[in-house]
Structure formats: C-alpha cells, structure tokens
Amino acid sequence: MLAKKLLAKHVTQTTAVTMLGTTAVLAFLFVLFAYIGELKSLKEGYGAWQAFLYVMWEAPRNLNQILPISALIGAVLGLGSLASSSELIVMRAAGVSLWRIVSWVMRPALLLVLLSFSISQWVIPYTNEKAQTVKSQSRAASLGEVRGYWTREGHRFVYIDYANAQGQLNRVDIINFNQEYRLQSLSRAEQGHFVKDGEWTLKGISELDLLPNGAAKMKQFAAQKLDLALQPRFVHMVTVDPEDLAPSDLVVFMRYMDEYSQVPKSYQLAFWKKVGAPFSLLALTLIACSFVFGPLRQKSMGFRLVIALFIGLTIYYLQDFLGYASLVYSPSPAWFVFVPIILMYGVGGYLIYRAR
C-alpha cells in the first residue's frame, strides 16, 4: 500500500511539473507573439506601452485557451520521461494497471480544470474590460453603454442606437411584421427609459402604418410603452463577446433572454463551450496517456512532442470550426461541442484497452 502511494505521488508530481511547465512556456510564447503582432496597430495615442498593457490584460484569456493543449503536451512529456527511464515498465511489472497510472495522471489535469474555471469565472471578465479600455482609450463608464444593438422578439425587430446601464435609450427603431412576415409598421422614438422588468417607456414617437390597401398613415405619440427584454444591468453584456462572460453571468443572461425572447445561439455556444472545456481537457489527457502506452511507446521524446502538438492543434481548430458550424447546422450547439469530446474519449479508451 505504501509503495503504491509513493508511486502515485511520483507520477502525479512528474506530470504536474511538466503540465505547469508547458503551460508557462506556451503562455510566454503567446504573450510574445501577441505583442509582436500588436505592434502593427500602433498609432497616435496607442503606443508600444499601451500595446504591452493590452496584451498583458488579454493574457488570461489566451492562457485559458491553451490549458487543454498544455495538459496534452505536459502529460506526453511527463509520461514520456517515465517511459524513457523504464519506470513505467517497472510499474507494470510490479502489477500496477494502466488505468491506475492514468488515474494518477488525471490528478494534475484536474488542477488545470480548476484553474480554467477560476480564470473563466473571476479573471477574464475583469481583464477583458481592462484590455478594451486600453484599446479604445475610453473611460470606464463607457463600458456600461451599448451602441447599434439589434434584437428580435417574435415578429418584431428593434434597433437601439444607444443604451446605458442607467436605463436611458436614444433613438429606437421598431419594425413590426405580421404572421406572414409582411411589413406592418415602422416606428422611431427619440428617447426612452426603463420602467420595470421587460417594460420601457418611449418618448417622441413617429409611427408609419402600412394599410392593407397599400396606403400609409403617419402617427405621432408623446409617449408609449415598449415591452423589451433588455434590462439596464444586462446592457454591458450585449456588448461583450459571449465567450468572455463568466459562466454564472451567461446562465443568468440566458435565463433572462429565454423568459422574454429567443436566446441567441452565440450565447448558447459560449455556454456549452465552457461546460465542455473540463471534459475536453481530461479527454486530451487521456489521449496523451494512450499515445505513450500505445502506438508511440517506442518513439523518441521529440517525436512524441511533435505528434502531441499536431494532435492538440488539430483538435483545437476542429472544435473551434464545429462550434461556429453549429450556429448554422445544428438546433443546439451542444451537439457539435460534445461530439468531438466523446470521440476523443472513445479513441483514447480504445488505445489504452489495446495496450493492456
């Protein structure tokens, strides 16, 4: 029992060091190349120092994206070093099963899962706001504003030229269609303000009604109520890339949008990506274990590293492509997010089963 505890500690520490080391190296390279690329955007008021600040504030987002690949490469390097020194052979000869060794490798991967969740929930929403502030040279108050926002509720389309977190609207255009999606009326309000959940008041309204005989009739209203799902506290959320929102914010915002209107697929995709990220990271760790114990056990460390990097990047770009494809070809983005993950578990499990 003591021997197994020592082996578990040794394997866990070895893979943890290689995973964290790989994460640090990849994060440094991402920052370096991102800064070099950002230097092309220098202009008056946005110099080299501002570009450096922007890249550093963006670093947590990039770090979160590379964690699955770090787990893959780190597991390959960690187990590969144990295989090169014949330690894995000794463990197997001592009766330690492959699945037990895989479970030891999964422990540091779980730490990366916790790190990924923490970054997504508490770090990225804050650092991305800071990055956008540096990029746009705007005041923090402007982060609570939205310009040029379109929303659809049933057969009605609403365009808001300006809204802020205090519940003020400027220039609101409303386009109403009938059940056959034939244009019924066009309205424009000069101003508006928030009343309560789902209800706004518009002022200075001009409405053009299209009559069945083809004629048009113009109306003027001093004030009019508008049922609109947008809440002042959610104004900022519609200006942010859904993938940059915290998981808890995504859940609250999607529930709210589902209550009053249809939830945009981009938010569904971002939500399911965040749900699938831990499973993806663990699946890539399983793939790494299957490589070392399976087809790559006789190969050199350099060859394993190249194959791991190739497989990791391929899976990363495939998941990214399928995610955006799901916005068009799938009723729910969850299908396209989890199908590659399930396939990774299947391939990794099969290769380890064959290596038993």
Side-chain angles (χ1 to χ4, degrees):
M1 183 64 69
L2 179 60
K4 286 187 177 180
K5 288 184 177 179
L6 292 175
L7 288 176
K9 183 178 179 180
H10 177 58
V11 173
T12 301
Q13 287 182 344
T14 301
T15 51
V17 169
T18 54
M19 285 183 183
L20 293 176
T22 302
T23 301
V25 171
L26 290 180
F28 172 76
L29 292 176
F30 261 75
V31 169
L32 177 62
F33 290 121
Y35 181 66
I36 294 174
E38 194 64 25
L39 291 177
K40 300 178 182 178
S41 303
L42 298 184
K43 58 184 179 180
E44 185 178 354
Y46 184 72
W49 175 246
Q50 285 76 19
F52 176 76
L53 290 177
Y54 173 76
V55 170
M56 293 307 297
W57 284 120
E58 280 276 295
R61 180 183 184 182
N62 293 328
L63 172 62
N64 197 46
Q65 291 177 340
I66 65 174
L67 284 179
I69 299 178
S70 298
L72 172 66
I73 298 176
V76 168
L77 293 178
L79 282 178
S81 65
L82 295 176
S84 299
S85 59
S86 301
E87 293 179 70
L88 290 182
I89 296 177
V90 174
M91 293 180 197
R92 295 286 290 125
V96 180
S97 68
L98 286 181
W99 288 111
R100 184 176 292 274
I101 298 175
V102 170
S103 68
W104 295 340
V105 178
M106 288 294 179
R107 293 178 182 179
L110 289 174
L111 293 178
L112 293 185
V113 168
L114 293 177
L115 176 62
S116 176
F117 175 79
S118 300
I119 292 174
S120 296
Q121 177 64 35
W122 294 293
V123 179
I124 291 180
Y126 175 77
T127 57
N128 275 12
E129 284 191 3
K130 291 293 187 180
Q132 292 305 316
T133 302
V134 173
K135 192 78 169 181
S136 63
Q137 297 295 308
S138 61
R139 297 176 293 106
S142 66
L143 294 173
E145 301 175 351
V146 58
R147 297 179 183 274
Y149 173 67
W150 279 97
T151 182
R152 173 189 173 187
E153 299 184 354
H155 294 82
R156 182 182 64 187
F157 293 82
V158 180
Y159 172 79
I160 301 173
D161 187 63
Y162 172 86
N164 62 26
Q166 288 71 46
Q168 300 299 318
L169 302 178
N170 286 338
R171 213 200 98 183
V172 180
D173 294 331
I174 304 172
I175 307 173
N176 290 303
F177 293 86
N178 60 19
Q179 296 293 333
E180 290 76 31
Y181 285 97
R182 294 184 180 275
L183 185 62
Q184 280 189 323
S185 65
L186 300 170
S187 301
R188 169 169 293 184
E190 296 302 324
Q191 293 180 334
H193 66 270
F194 179 72
V195 178
K196 60 182 181 180
D197 286 356
E199 185 177 323
W200 297 71
T201 296
L202 301 180
K203 297 180 179 179
I205 305 152
S206 300
E207 181 177 310
L208 179 66
D209 291 331
L210 301 181
L211 304 178
N213 59 8
K217 184 178 180 181
M218 178 66 74
K219 299 178 182 178
Q220 302 287 336
F221 301 95
Q224 191 177 62
K225 289 184 178 180
L226 172 67
D227 295 327
L228 182 64
L230 186 66
Q231 264 193 21
R233 70 189 185 102
F234 293 136
V235 164
H236 174 50
M237 292 187 185
V238 302
T239 69
V240 179
D241 188 334
E243 295 187 9
D244 294 339
L245 291 173
S248 58
D249 289 338
L250 267 176
V251 172
V252 172
F253 186 66
M254 288 174 60
R255 285 178 177 174
Y256 178 74
M257 292 296 292
D258 184 59
E259 182 178 353
Y260 290 97
S261 61
Q262 184 178 9
V263 179
K265 274 193 173 183
S266 57
Y267 289 88
Q268 296 179 12
L269 174 60
F271 171 75
W272 288 114
K273 275 187 173 182
K274 292 181 184 296
V275 171
F279 300 100
S280 178
L281 191 151
L282 296 177
L284 285 172
T285 306
L286 182 64
I287 290 286
C289 296
S290 69
F291 283 169
V292 175
F293 291 122
L296 301 184
R297 62 180 179 272
Q298 302 297 333
K299 302 298 181 179
S300 66
M301 182 68 76
F303 186 80
R304 290 173 185 155
L305 179 60
V306 171
I307 295 299
L309 185 60
F310 175 77
I311 294 297
L313 291 176
T314 300
I315 293 174
Y316 173 80
Y317 287 116
L318 178 62
Q319 288 181 310
D320 201 41
F321 169 77
L322 290 178
Y324 288 108
S326 68
L327 298 178
V328 180
Y329 299 109
S330 173
S332 172
W335 289 96
F336 280 65
V337 170
F338 282 97
V339 165
I341 296 175
I342 294 173
L343 290 177
M344 283 190 287
Y345 276 111
V347 171
Y350 174 72
L351 291 177
I352 291 180
Y353 176 79
R354 287 191 58 184
R356 290 174 55 189

